[in-house]
Amino acid sequence: MQDKVNYKNDENLISKNKKRLLFTILSFLLIYLIAYIIDPFASCWNGYFQRNIFEILGEWTFTIIYSFAISEFSIFMHGRLDRVITWKDSPMERLIIETVINLFVVLMINLLLVYIISRYYYELQNITVAGSLEEKRGVIQNISISVMVALLIMGINIGIHLINNWKNESIRAAKLGQVILETELQSLKLQIDPHFVFNNLSVLSEIILENQQLGYEYAENFSKIYRYLLVNSKKDVISLEEELNFLDSYIFLIKNRFGDGVHFEINVDPAKYSYQLPPLTLQLLVENALKHNQTNKKRPLRIKVYTNSQNQLVVENTLLPIEQVSESSGLGISNIIKRYDLLSHLQPQILNTGRTFKVNLPLIEQAS
């Protein structure tokens, strides 16, 4: 896993270095291209390559350094702003702020260069600067070129960022769609699972003979479970409150089927009801506990569902392992992990102490 992370970091570093090189070269070319387009008949273009080779190389070196400075700042500021103001949340505000900052820095760099050249370079060369109209025009032209180059680099940077985001979102949506389809298919499998149907219908028929009111309640909860499976299996997330309501119906069936062999403790903070998690998560984890453990009156299987201070929903059960494990019709913990991976940067934590099996599920805040 560590090797994979290191490889990913190396890939990102190479990508950033390529981006820096590309932007520096692009800025270099744009400076000369825009300068030529603005004034193709300027005296500097006459006999450009007939000058001393060291003079040309010196000019190019200075221009490359200047291009690197503009490009590097644009990339740096873009990354910094991503942490504070994202394009997704505030696109107009982000555009204005990034544009103003880039323009301000480019102007400051140019004014600094003008000051250095006029103050030190000309003094060393014993050149007297009269501040002619031609020279002032040249300064204004250079600043204008720098501003246009900075805006073009910023625009290209933003374009690349938005295209990459669009590609990543498309890939994420495709993966999420695949996982949701898997969830839906597994939900359908549970709906038509003959063991699930037969066991519950058998319990229902026995209860009706003994207590018609209890039989009616059992049938109501049985129908609620099927309705929940049909309506919510296609969703990305669902509120904790809805998932707990579903769990209540599921527990009702389990208690009437296993009796005192299973004991549930539900202690969820009502303030967390609006938080979200992938649908059918609790059903899976309860089913998983029933599948792998014994259920008897002397040593009942204890299943706890509660919230903790880390904004997590904890599903914990005692370990009373059985020798032969029947085939599961659940969603699979791997499915939950994959869904969390696509929905949130947080991941479930799975802890097996030898005495208890615990899964900490991060609760996802509802988008405002």
Side-chain angles (χ1 to χ4, degrees):
M1 178 64 72
Q2 187 62 42
D3 291 341
K4 186 176 180 180
V5 172
N6 291 336
Y7 175 74
K8 190 69 175 176
N9 290 336
D10 290 342
E11 267 194 335
N12 290 336
L13 182 61
I14 292 170
S15 177
K16 287 180 180 178
N17 288 335
K18 285 182 177 178
K19 190 176 183 180
R20 287 189 175 97
L21 179 61
L22 175 64
F23 276 24
T24 300
I25 295 172
L26 186 59
S27 299
F28 177 83
L29 296 174
L30 283 171
I31 285 172
Y32 284 99
L33 178 62
I34 294 172
Y36 183 79
I37 292 172
I38 289 176
D39 192 0
F41 302 106
S43 58
C44 63
W45 302 118
N46 295 326
Y48 184 85
F49 291 102
Q50 295 175 7
R51 295 180 298 165
N52 184 289
I53 185 66
F54 294 105
E55 185 181 343
I56 295 173
L57 291 176
E59 179 190 315
W60 286 0
T61 301
F62 175 81
T63 307
I64 286 174
I65 294 171
Y66 180 73
S67 300
F68 177 78
I70 294 177
S71 303
E72 185 66 19
F73 179 79
S74 180
I75 294 170
F76 171 79
M77 186 51 59
H78 186 85
R80 285 287 180 177
L81 287 175
D82 273 343
R83 302 176 188 176
V84 183
I85 308 171
T86 63
W87 284 101
K88 184 177 180 181
D89 297 332
S90 308
M92 187 55 65
E93 185 181 355
R94 169 63 185 271
L95 178 62
I96 293 170
I97 291 174
E98 188 163 347
T99 302
V100 169
I101 291 175
N102 273 278
L103 290 179
F104 176 78
V105 170
V106 168
L107 288 172
M108 289 301 100
I109 291 174
N110 275 275
L111 292 175
L112 181 63
L113 288 174
V114 169
Y115 175 79
I116 292 172
I117 291 171
S118 62
R119 180 70 183 272
Y120 297 103
Y121 176 74
Y122 287 159
E123 285 184 6
L124 288 173
Q125 299 294 325
N126 294 319
I127 299 173
T128 302
V129 181
S132 66
L133 182 62
E134 182 70 20
E135 289 164 351
K136 290 178 181 178
R137 189 172 72 88
V139 170
I140 294 172
Q141 182 174 304
N142 288 336
I143 292 175
S144 301
I145 291 169
S146 300
V147 167
M148 283 187 276
V149 169
L151 289 176
L152 284 170
I153 292 298
M154 187 190 77
I156 294 169
N157 200 19
I158 292 170
I160 292 172
H161 174 80
L162 294 178
I163 289 171
N164 285 337
N165 271 6
W166 174 75
K167 285 170 61 179
N168 292 336
E169 284 297 318
S170 298
I171 293 170
R172 175 187 168 279
K175 288 182 178 178
L176 184 58
Q178 183 179 356
V179 174
I180 291 172
L181 179 60
E182 179 185 337
T183 304
E184 186 181 352
L185 291 174
Q186 292 290 350
S187 171
L188 180 60
K189 181 180 177 182
L190 178 62
Q191 293 168 39
I192 61 175
D193 184 351
H195 297 289
F196 180 77
V197 175
F198 177 76
N199 288 333
N200 282 288
L201 288 179
S202 297
V203 173
L204 176 60
S205 61
E206 292 175 8
I207 290 175
I208 288 174
L209 292 175
E210 298 176 3
N211 187 330
Q212 289 188 357
Q213 179 59 35
L214 183 59
Y216 171 78
E217 292 176 11
Y218 193 95
E220 276 291 301
N221 283 283
F222 192 37
S223 65
K224 285 180 183 179
I225 288 173
Y226 265 76
R227 187 159 54 247
Y228 185 90
L229 292 171
L230 289 169
V231 172
N232 297 305
S233 61
K234 296 181 181 180
K235 295 181 180 179
D236 296 351
V237 290
I238 196 166
S239 71
L240 175 58
E241 185 176 16
E242 290 179 277
E243 187 77 351
L244 288 172
N245 289 336
F246 163 74
L247 183 63
D248 284 341
S249 298
Y250 196 59
I251 289 174
F252 186 90
L253 301 189
I254 292 170
K255 292 292 289 181
N256 280 280
R257 181 179 169 193
F258 294 99
D260 295 332
V262 184
H263 179 71
F264 286 92
E265 294 179 31
I266 311 295
N267 186 19
V268 176
D269 182 2
K272 304 295 183 183
Y273 280 177
S274 62
Y275 282 69
Q276 299 177 322
L277 71 165
L280 306 177
T281 301
L282 294 181
Q283 181 270 328
L284 157 73
L285 295 175
V286 170
E287 182 186 287
N288 218 45
L290 293 171
K291 170 195 167 188
H292 291 282
N293 297 280
Q294 301 175 41
T295 55
N296 57 67
K297 294 180 181 179
K298 293 182 180 180
R299 294 183 63 196
L301 173 65
R302 298 187 179 276
I303 301 175
K304 299 179 182 180
V305 179
Y306 57 93
T307 48
N308 61 19
S309 58
Q310 284 76 48
N311 207 33
Q312 295 173 326
L313 180 71
V314 182
V315 181
E316 178 182 352
N317 64 270
T318 52
L319 287 175
L320 304 169
I322 56 178
E323 294 181 1
Q324 293 183 347
V325 180
S326 60
E327 183 182 355
S328 173
S329 62
L331 305 174
I333 291 181
S334 62
N335 180 272
I336 291 178
I337 293 172
K338 283 191 286 185
R339 283 192 285 167
Y340 264 102
D341 188 45
L342 293 168
L343 292 167
S344 169
H345 65 281
L346 302 171
Q347 284 293 301
Q349 299 170 346
I350 301 172
L351 306 170
N352 188 335
T353 65
R355 292 186 176 182
T356 61
F357 182 80
K358 183 189 297 185
V359 178
N360 296 338
L361 298 166
L363 291 174
I364 303 169
E365 289 192 57
Q366 189 174 16
S368 56

